[in-house]
Amino acid sequence: MNINSLTLDKRDSITIDGWQIDANRYRISRDGIEKKLEPRIMELLLYLADHPGQVVTRQQIEDDVWKDRVVGYDVLSGSIAKIRKAFEDTSQNPRIIETIPKSGYRLIAPVLVQNKDAYTYSGNPAAEHYPGKRNFKISRISALGIVIAVISLVIIGFYVLNSGDSETKSTAETAGKHFDPGKPSLAIMPFKNMSNDPGQSVYSDGLTDDLITDLSNIEGLQVTPRHSSFIYATKKISPLEIARELRVRYIVQGSLRRSFDDIRVNVQLVDTQINQEIWAQRFDDSIESIFNLQDQIINQILRKLDLDPGTKPHSKRRTTSLEAYDFFLRAEHRRLNGRPSARDSKTLDFYRRAIELDPSFVAAYTGLAREALGNWQNDETRVMPSAVWKKLIYKTAGKALELDPENAEALAILGLLQVVSGEHDVGIASVKSAVAINPGNPQLHVDLAIVLSYGGAHQEALQSINNAINQYSAPPATYIRSRAYIYFFLGQFENALKDIKSVPDIRNSTYISILIYGAMNDRKAAKPYVDASLNWYAMDNQEYYRINYSAFRRPQDIELVIDSANKAGVPRYPYGYDPGESNLLDNTSISELTRKGLWRGKTQNGLEF
């Protein structure tokens, strides 16, 4: 399946920005909401999805979708508007379809396709980001700017930073979640939004997240992570089947309806061992009592499971300001349900607004810090410069720790920054402390694996990443790719290759595949990935790899990367340029050269600078 031309079939399972596309019934659905499209509108949507991230002209659309019929300007514009309306998108702040002035349209939302052979993810080639690789967009930039950028570059290159990754689940043969049969095990399904307003799904998702967070802190209760629950958001499957797949005994499911300031929540607790609902209740209250309502649900569940809630405090997702909570939920929804390329500064603004309304709202600080960390890793300089990201991360994570010294999330975030700043031992200690505080959070185990690998403790990192993976029956694809990197540094190339093949997503697996095949001296197998890399980022080269992996403590790890990239066929310098040994400059020479005045010339695209 070509990444730039998916050749979609109506029998394929297609998801666009989390919306399930039923092409045969001309419907899209998400979070219990179903919308019908006109047949021609569905055909146009599939055509755009078949060219993800590509600009398609009006003429192309008319030729391929309307097929020789004369189409007025308003017809096509109106059709695009109908798609946007169905997806709750706007032309001013596009999330699904971007209008390219005087050119055409481009689908910028993530597209996930599952056919009989494999899952394939495609997104905007101009905006996608890759694990272990920072993405740079260079246009009118001078040679001097490139020199300065390279010299001053600080690379993170984390394998995975977003616990809300919406990628496909892995088909790897992993151990899966092994719950202690002597303790109750529970999965909380995403609560359905039954409100007339689809935007209220932030509250139904927020209730689900709060219950998962709070119940995970109860000693003696085993709760499946968020990702495992939310993959069932659009699936029509019985609690018994879910329990078998997740290997749990109890299933919590329900719905939330909000009407102005009133909410109605229905909850059911199913014991799948006897295939029977053992508790169900409807709660009617005001939205201001949302946290009290959560406490009631938690206490009822624990009572039915014969568990003592104990004295462990509730999660720091609580606030005294309902308005702050609303902004926080909207920020969380964007962070956890969108890919970095699909998000913008609004996510940051929502977190900041929540903090303004409640300066002691710990979860808003940690959410903002995690979002900033992900954007820093993905080099979102279109939002703010790298150095400003770093300052924001330290500030927000530090404030979260000031308010809550036992905040595991903030500790882990700071630990990640400490490691890429060269303080490997300090960073590892920080993340280990985070895991000790909240061992049930799989993302913290992933964070620990990352810092351990950067510190050279790859065997310990492997154990940590497996601790995260084993909390899932279907682990996130990013976790599997993280383990592939660790296998690579351990020299276990076959295991690394097995993991990568289990998540067949060429865009996100490109760079680790290059390294694995290079290490295995299989240049032929590496070539498609090297070609894809150079197609997406024409300046790709070995020296860039050296900078990108410079945060690794052990020189032999960095040399393994460079040697593998070389064997795979990655060019040493960009655009075939070879400076020759006599042209190498030291720091003093560069300093002297850059102080001598204005540089003029042309970029590789012929643009003058």
Side-chain angles (χ1 to χ4, degrees):
M1 188 178 289
N2 189 303
I3 198 66
N4 288 322
S5 182
L6 298 175
T7 316
L8 298 177
D9 189 302
K10 286 191 175 183
R11 295 169 296 178
D12 293 334
S13 175
I14 308 165
T15 303
I16 300 176
D17 195 42
W19 288 84
Q20 185 67 38
I21 311 302
D22 188 338
N24 292 305
R25 295 174 60 239
Y26 306 108
R27 284 170 168 79
I28 65 173
S29 60
R30 186 176 74 175
D31 298 333
I33 303 297
E34 187 173 85
K35 300 181 181 182
K36 186 174 181 179
L37 301 181
E38 300 168 22
R40 187 72 66 180
I41 303 301
M42 176 61 76
E43 191 173 348
L44 174 57
L45 176 62
L46 292 179
Y47 181 78
L48 292 171
D50 205 22
H51 302 78
Q54 298 180 36
V55 178
V56 289
T57 66
R58 296 180 63 89
Q59 190 62 53
Q60 285 177 295
I61 294 174
E62 291 175 13
D63 292 344
D64 296 339
V65 178
W66 270 267
K67 300 186 186 338
D68 300 325
R69 288 181 55 191
V70 178
V71 181
Y73 185 92
D74 292 341
V75 172
L76 179 52
S77 299
S79 299
I80 293 293
K82 288 179 180 179
I83 294 177
R84 284 179 171 145
K85 183 178 180 181
F87 282 88
E88 301 156 25
D89 192 25
T90 65
S91 58
Q92 294 80 15
N93 185 26
R95 181 176 41 82
I96 306 297
I97 299 175
E98 180 181 31
T99 300
I100 310 299
K102 299 182 180 180
S103 296
Y105 302 96
R106 175 165 59 192
L107 186 76
I108 59 175
V111 179
L112 182 66
V113 180
Q114 182 191 12
N115 63 9
K116 60 184 174 57
D117 299 317
Y119 279 100
T120 300
Y121 170 80
S122 184
N124 181 351
E128 190 57 70
H129 306 287
Y130 316 100
K133 189 91 170 177
R134 292 190 72 178
N135 188 36
F136 294 89
K137 309 171 189 68
I138 299 178
S139 54
R140 297 176 183 268
I141 183 169
S142 69
L144 172 59
I146 294 175
V147 171
I148 295 173
V150 171
I151 295 173
S152 62
L153 186 62
V154 179
I155 296 300
I156 301 178
F158 297 146
Y159 312 135
V160 54
L161 295 170
N162 192 334
S163 60
D165 190 351
S166 59
E167 295 176 69
T168 79
K169 63 181 180 179
S170 165
T171 56
E173 295 179 5
T174 58
K177 177 67 175 176
H178 290 288
F179 284 124
D180 182 347
K183 297 179 181 179
S185 53
L186 176 75
I188 302 168
M189 295 297 101
F191 276 59
K192 295 180 179 179
N193 172 31
M194 305 302 291
S195 309
N196 292 327
D197 178 11
Q200 295 301 322
S201 62
V202 297
Y203 273 92
S204 54
D205 286 356
L207 175 59
T208 308
D209 286 330
D210 284 341
L211 293 177
I212 291 174
T213 301
D214 284 352
L215 287 170
S216 295
N217 287 330
I218 301 299
E219 187 174 354
L221 180 60
Q222 303 166 111
V223 181
T224 55
R226 184 186 196 276
H227 172 82
S228 290
S229 295
F230 273 80
I231 62 175
Y232 294 95
T234 57
K235 292 185 177 182
K236 294 183 178 179
I237 183 172
S238 71
L240 188 60
E241 292 175 289
I242 294 173
R244 285 173 179 166
E245 291 185 9
L246 296 181
R247 305 175 192 177
V248 298
R249 175 173 175 176
Y250 299 98
I251 297 290
V252 174
Q253 56 188 8
S255 64
L256 181 148
R257 181 189 299 274
R258 181 180 179 183
S259 178
F260 299 101
D261 291 333
D262 297 322
I263 56 172
R264 169 172 290 179
V265 175
N266 287 291
V267 191
Q268 299 87 38
L269 176 63
V270 179
D271 184 346
T272 61
Q273 185 168 296
I274 59 175
N275 196 21
Q276 184 176 327
E277 185 181 272
I278 61 174
W279 170 68
Q281 189 168 340
R282 187 182 76 190
F283 297 87
D284 290 301
D285 214 324
S286 68
I287 191 66
E288 293 181 352
S289 302
I290 185 71
F291 294 127
N292 179 56
L293 187 149
Q294 290 174 16
D295 289 339
Q296 293 181 58
I297 295 174
I298 290 169
N299 289 334
Q300 289 282 11
I301 292 173
L302 295 179
R303 185 176 294 115
K304 290 297 179 181
L305 301 184
D306 294 323
L307 289 174
D308 182 2
T311 58
K312 194 172 184 66
H314 290 294
S315 69
K316 298 298 180 179
R317 291 169 63 89
R318 304 294 175 93
T319 174
T320 56
S321 169
L322 180 61
E323 190 178 0
Y325 185 62
D326 181 81
F327 278 108
F328 169 75
L329 289 182
R330 295 181 187 281
E332 288 283 280
H333 185 80
R334 293 174 71 89
R335 181 174 70 86
L336 296 172
N337 294 290
R339 299 180 64 81
S341 59
R343 304 198 300 266
D344 54 29
S345 59
K346 274 194 174 181
T347 308
L348 305 173
D349 293 339
F350 287 155
Y351 279 124
R352 285 174 171 142
R353 184 63 180 137
I355 290 170
E356 288 175 5
L357 292 164
D358 182 0
S360 62
F361 195 177
V362 176
Y365 287 105
T366 55
L368 179 54
R370 183 65 81 170
E371 172 72 0
L373 186 65
N375 278 298
W376 186 38
Q377 179 246 331
N378 288 307
D379 189 44
E380 288 293 347
T381 51
R382 64 189 177 88
V383 181
M384 66 176 70
S386 176
V388 183
W389 280 125
K390 187 175 181 181
K391 182 177 180 180
L392 177 62
I393 298 163
Y394 271 120
K395 180 180 179 180
T396 50
K399 182 62 176 179
L401 279 177
E402 178 185 324
L403 294 168
D404 176 22
E406 293 292 300
N407 191 289
E409 184 83 358
L411 271 172
I413 291 169
L414 288 175
L416 289 163
L417 277 189
Q418 288 162 341
V419 164
V420 297
S421 298
E423 301 177 76
H424 294 89
D425 293 332
V426 175
I428 290 171
S430 295
V431 185
K432 282 186 174 181
S433 296
V435 172
I437 293 170
N438 191 357
N441 185 335
Q443 180 60 40
L444 299 181
H445 289 278
V446 175
D447 293 339
L448 180 57
I450 291 170
V451 296
L452 287 169
S453 188
Y454 270 78
H458 302 301
Q459 193 62 51
E460 192 178 351
L462 179 62
Q463 180 181 345
S464 186
I465 194 67
N466 281 332
N467 286 339
I469 289 173
N470 290 340
Q471 293 191 44
Y472 294 86
S473 57
T478 48
Y479 288 17
I480 301 300
R481 278 197 297 273
S482 295
R483 188 171 65 182
Y485 272 99
I486 295 170
Y487 277 138
F488 166 76
F489 284 110
L490 283 170
Q492 298 181 29
F493 306 128
E494 291 292 346
N495 285 336
L497 189 59
K498 182 179 178 182
D499 270 350
I500 287 303
K501 286 184 175 180
S502 74
V503 283
D505 177 355
I506 188 171
R507 290 197 65 81
N508 287 300
S509 300
T510 297
Y511 298 101
I512 180 58
S513 298
I514 288 172
L515 297 181
I516 294 170
Y517 284 120
M520 297 174 74
N521 256 321
D522 193 341
R523 193 164 185 149
K524 182 179 180 181
K527 189 177 186 305
Y529 297 96
V530 174
D531 290 345
S533 170
L534 292 171
N535 180 49
W536 297 325
Y537 182 63
M539 289 184 65
D540 210 15
N541 63 87
Q542 293 177 36
E543 295 306 310
Y544 176 54
Y545 276 66
R546 185 179 299 280
I547 297 171
N548 201 45
Y549 289 85
S550 61
F552 280 79
R553 172 154 57 184
R554 301 196 316 170
Q556 58 263 46
D557 289 336
I558 300 174
E559 291 309 314
L560 173 62
V561 168
I562 303 305
D563 183 60
S564 300
N566 180 50
K567 291 178 179 177
V570 175
R572 183 177 180 186
Y573 296 104
Y575 305 115
Y577 172 70
D578 184 356
E581 295 301 321
S582 61
N583 292 333
L584 293 177
L585 302 177
D586 58 19
N587 291 345
T588 303
S589 301
I590 293 174
S591 179
E592 286 294 323
L593 182 63
T594 57
R595 285 204 301 261
K596 288 186 176 179
L598 184 67
W599 289 15
R600 296 182 185 275
K602 291 185 178 181
T603 67
Q604 72 278 4
N605 298 322
L607 298 174
E608 293 185 357
F609 67 79

